[in-house]
Amino acid sequence: MSENTEKLRTLRGRVISNKMDKTISVLVERRVKHPVYGKIVRRSTKFLVHDEQNQCNEGDTVSITSCKPLSKNKSYRMVEILERPN
């Protein structure tokens, strides 16, 4: 079996911090239905993401994908910058 048979998880989020070296903090929001009341609510998760060239700024929308763990908390890498704020 090939070692790349597993699916990589790809997410889309907004950069909320780029103060670290080669690392950005990305906020990923998702909309889920409340189990009891049925209302759509927003849930968010923060990921530490590897950014090799330090090219992201705060407010950018980026695409990230899972990878092997790079540190204790960092197991995602940035694929591309989708949108920059004006």
Side-chain angles (χ1 to χ4, degrees):
M1 242 193 186
S2 173
E3 51 187 74
N4 290 334
T5 56
E6 65 185 59
K7 288 258 187 184
L8 295 178
R9 185 173 179 197
T10 303
L11 301 170
R12 180 183 179 148
R14 186 171 41 92
V15 177
I16 55 174
S17 173
N18 65 344
K19 306 227 179 335
M20 298 165 276
D21 185 33
K22 295 186 180 179
T23 304
I24 55 176
S25 181
V26 176
L27 183 76
V28 175
E29 288 187 345
R30 63 190 193 281
R31 293 165 33 127
V32 296
K33 194 172 189 179
H34 191 279
V36 175
Y37 301 113
K39 181 179 178 176
I40 302 295
V41 292
R42 290 190 312 184
R43 298 282 182 225
S44 60
T45 308
K46 284 197 286 188
F47 294 103
L48 290 183
V49 178
H50 186 66
D51 178 18
E52 185 66 37
Q53 287 88 24
N54 289 326
Q55 56 190 358
C56 289
N57 296 320
E58 290 185 19
D60 292 351
T61 302
V62 295
S63 175
I64 62 174
T65 186
S66 59
C67 64
K68 68 182 179 99
L70 300 168
S71 70
K72 179 181 175 182
N73 298 319
K74 191 163 65 166
S75 59
Y76 283 84
R77 63 180 171 83
M78 188 195 66
V79 177
E80 64 178 329
I81 300 173
L82 301 172
E83 185 179 322
R84 291 195 183 269
N86 292 337

